[in-house]
Amino acid sequence: MAGAKMTDEELMSHDASGMLGVLDAFPEQVSEALEIGMSDVALPDASGITDVTILGMGGSGISGDVASVLAPLYGARIPVLASKQYSAPAYLGPGSLVFAVSYSGNTAETLAGFAEARDRGARVVAVSSGGALSERCGVEGVPLFGIPGGLQPRASLGYLFVPIICALERMGLLSNAMRDLRGSLPVLESRRAQYSIASGIDDNPARRLARDLIGFLPVVYGVEGYLAVAALRWKCQFNEMAKIPAFHNYFPELNHNETVGWQNLREICSQAHVIALCEPGLPERLEKRIEVTLDLIGGSVAHTTRVFARGSNTIERLLDVFYFGDYASVYTALELGQDPTPVERIDELKKRLAG
Ligand code: F6R
């Protein structure tokens, strides 16, 4: 069936575990996550915080990348960094605020970082739906944003990053981010109307892109800031939803290495579909780079496509481009006859590591 043009019913028949329905509920997820973020979780003392670190892996870890790019735009004047490894960063100490984020609450790297952050006297807050992390928070009196379980972590982005933003704002480290999150809800609803399966292929850019990707290797380029995080998100969603290889990079850094790399191994290069994530009104110095680069590499790769994030502020544009990528990766999965939800290799790997 892969490669043939499928009807809506055929496409949906591959979504055995209901990922499209989960994506359709994303605006409600963000709204509920705002309530969770505003709930009476007792946050640590906010005085003298020198740095913020978000520990987490994969679909949970991306919440740290999102927080790290949004925080400076909403007034953070201290470093806000994501950490995706077993070891907590060496700079952690009593002046550090640490978010340990694990949807399952059982991710080994995040649990190790959590323990180390606690040992170093950092002020720790957790976000999780259960598992060992939630248990440890209960035993050790660590504030926990408890989020609903039963989803895939990568389909829970709202639950995972919104409480972090709310906590930072409630602690006086950010301002106006919650206002913009609330304001993004009607925008997300209108994007859902456009990206969901109810929207026919002609009106649905996510479905069209998925069709154009069949048989090609997605290479997703972003631009410094939130679009670089979006490129990482798209790559990971193609990996986990569609179970295909995908790669990402961002401007301007990719101009200093990867741009040269499209020269040899011509057969492999000719299978790449380069997707450049951008926004209207980028600074000229970046816009020019995108144009020149796509022109330079256009003859070596199969396709180049530009996707524009839409919205009236960064949060709206970030959520729009993430939402587009989530749907595009799920439609790619369905076009390939692949159930987007299960990630058997991650499950098997975790099982073997635990055994
Ligand atoms: C699966 C997914 C993975 C997990 C990762 C960490 O949907 O997105 O990338 O997020 O294996 O697990 P958690 O999020 O439970 O800490």
Side-chain angles (χ1 to χ4, degrees):
M1 186 52 86
K5 292 210 162 52
M6 289 190 222
T7 63
D8 290 3
E9 290 68 35
E10 284 166 338
L11 268 191
M12 283 194 291
S13 71
H14 298 299
D15 188 21
S17 318
M19 185 57 84
L20 279 174
V22 176
L23 292 193
D24 289 346
F26 186 61
E28 287 73 25
Q29 181 183 135
V30 172
S31 169
E32 195 187 338
L34 272 163
E35 279 170 34
I36 295 170
M38 287 304 294
S39 62
D40 55 4
V41 171
L43 296 171
D45 173 20
S47 58
I49 289 175
T50 53
D51 47 87
V52 179
T53 303
I54 301 109
L55 313 174
M57 306 302 295
S60 292
I62 194 96
S63 67
D65 298 300
V66 170
S68 75
V69 288
L70 290 181
L73 299 173
Y74 287 89
R77 290 297 167 260
I78 54 173
V80 177
L81 302 168
S83 177
K84 303 178 178 186
Q85 52 187 28
Y86 281 102
S87 318
Y91 57 75
L92 290 193
S96 305
L97 173 64
V98 172
F99 290 89
V101 185
S102 171
Y103 186 78
S104 64
N106 289 323
T107 296
E109 300 92 316
T110 314
L111 289 169
F114 170 85
E116 216 179 316
R118 297 270 300 142
D119 286 349
R120 302 243 207 101
R123 299 168 223 193
V124 180
V125 177
V127 181
S128 184
S129 72
L133 182 61
S134 302
E135 245 176 72
R136 284 197 205 170
C137 288
V139 173
E140 299 175 28
V142 173
L144 166 73
F145 287 105
I147 57 176
L151 298 175
Q152 280 290 332
R154 64 186 182 284
S156 313
L157 180 75
Y159 289 136
L160 293 162
F161 94 90
V162 170
I164 301 174
I165 299 294
C166 294
L168 291 174
E169 188 157 329
R170 285 169 56 195
M171 293 175 77
L173 297 166
L174 306 183
S175 44
N176 296 328
M178 288 195 284
R179 177 204 63 192
D180 283 359
L181 278 168
R182 253 182 234 109
S184 72
L185 296 175
V187 177
L188 279 175
E189 283 165 21
S190 78
R191 299 298 187 265
R192 163 172 60 199
Q194 197 180 10
Y195 302 147
S196 75
I197 196 143
S199 163
I201 185 107
D202 293 338
D203 302 317
N204 189 331
R207 283 182 74 177
R208 280 204 306 277
L209 180 61
R211 280 220 177 143
D212 290 346
L213 281 170
I214 298 309
F216 298 102
L217 185 74
V219 176
V220 191
Y221 287 167
V223 178
E224 64 180 67
Y226 81 94
L227 288 163
V229 176
L232 167 66
R233 168 70 169 190
W234 278 51
K235 168 226 139 48
C236 295
Q237 295 295 70
F238 283 125
N239 295 152
E240 291 184 66
M241 299 289 196
K243 285 79 175 166
I244 55 173
F247 298 91
H248 77 113
N249 210 329
Y250 67 95
F251 292 98
E253 173 60 14
L254 70 87
N255 279 156
H256 301 278
N257 34 66
E258 188 159 324
T259 308
V260 188
W262 292 110
Q263 204 163 315
N264 288 317
L265 301 182
R266 299 196 77 86
E267 214 168 296
I268 293 176
C269 294
S270 72
Q271 289 170 14
H273 185 146
V274 174
I275 304 161
L277 306 181
C278 37
E279 62 177 17
L282 273 174
E284 177 63 16
R285 62 188 183 183
L286 287 164
E287 177 57 36
K288 198 88 207 263
R289 279 178 188 276
I290 299 173
E291 281 167 24
V292 174
T293 305
L294 295 186
D295 187 49
L296 282 172
I297 68 173
S300 312
V301 301
H303 301 287
T304 61
T305 298
R306 289 184 73 165
V307 171
F308 287 85
R310 297 171 296 152
S312 60
N313 57 52
T314 306
I315 284 185
E316 284 180 14
R317 289 192 291 275
L318 180 145
L319 290 174
D320 171 51
V321 75
F322 271 57
Y323 209 17
F324 188 129
D326 286 1
Y327 274 107
S329 66
V330 168
Y331 290 130
T332 305
L334 301 179
E335 292 278 357
L336 290 170
Q338 170 71 55
D339 184 353
T341 301
V343 275
E344 280 147 17
R345 290 231 171 132
I346 295 181
D347 298 340
E348 172 66 16
L349 186 111
K350 288 183 179 178
K351 217 188 303 156
R352 285 207 219 170
L353 292 175

